[in-house]
Amino acid sequence: MSDAVDRILAQWRTERPDVDVWPMGVIGRITRLSRVLDRELKEFFAGHDLEHWEFDVLATLRRSGPPYELTAGALNRAAMVTSGAITNRIDRLSTRGLVERVPDEEDRRSVRVRLTDRGRALVDEVVGLHVANEVRLLGALAPDDRDRLAGLLRALLESLGDTSID
């Protein structure tokens, strides 16, 4: 069995046999897989009138537990985007009636972003379908392989300092 990355590695081995290109096999596959998964998820969420980032914000609020609200800063850290980007995302979701801004009861200078009933219903409707879609996307892997891959990816993320969602 051979993939596109195998062909790229073979070309490098021909052109630069003095360079051990093994890391390209790992990084190249992760990068290509990320692009394929992004495309698949974009198509899935479009079928539910959502952008992937919209689902991410709604899901982050939903999994935070009652009252399903966070500060914009907490959403920003979870999404790993700029503060301007998260403000834009909140604005767009607010316009759609999926989130609302509410004053922070503990700090009147702050605002919290709360999932509306409509937003909660939407994320609750889509999350099960999303998980089923992810099962489909990982269908080529046996359960032991999925667990092993998850462990290897966890170890790599930990080694690179990605250990927190906030």
Side-chain angles (χ1 to χ4, degrees), residues 2-119:
S2 179
D3 66 4
V5 176
D6 287 324
R7 290 190 290 284
I8 292 167
L9 295 174
Q11 290 171 331
W12 275 118
R13 288 182 184 116
T14 298
E15 295 301 316
R16 291 294 308 272
D18 58 310
V19 177
D20 185 0
V21 295
W22 74 264
M24 290 182 181
V26 175
I27 303 294
R29 285 184 178 94
I30 290 171
T31 301
R32 291 177 73 89
L33 183 58
S34 175
R35 290 181 187 145
V36 169
L37 293 175
D38 283 345
R39 184 179 63 236
E40 290 282 337
L41 292 174
K42 181 178 181 172
E43 184 178 312
F44 170 80
F45 287 118
H48 298 280
D49 194 30
L50 285 168
E51 297 285 338
H52 191 176
W53 65 262
E54 289 176 311
F55 179 79
D56 282 345
V57 172
L58 298 175
T60 299
L61 291 168
R62 178 64 173 97
R63 71 175 187 258
S64 72
Y68 310 111
E69 64 183 42
L70 294 169
T71 64
L75 282 172
N76 185 20
R77 289 185 297 277
M80 296 189 302
V81 296
T82 65
S83 60
I86 202 66
T87 298
N88 184 337
R89 291 176 179 192
I90 294 166
D91 288 346
R92 290 176 61 183
L93 289 167
S94 179
T95 298
R96 291 188 62 188
L98 301 174
V99 302
E100 61 186 348
R101 289 178 170 91
V102 295
D104 189 322
E105 293 178 8
E106 296 175 16
D107 180 359
R108 293 187 184 262
R109 296 169 296 160
S110 288
V111 172
R112 299 181 70 79
V113 179
R114 180 181 297 156
L115 199 56
T116 63
D117 290 343
R118 181 174 169 208

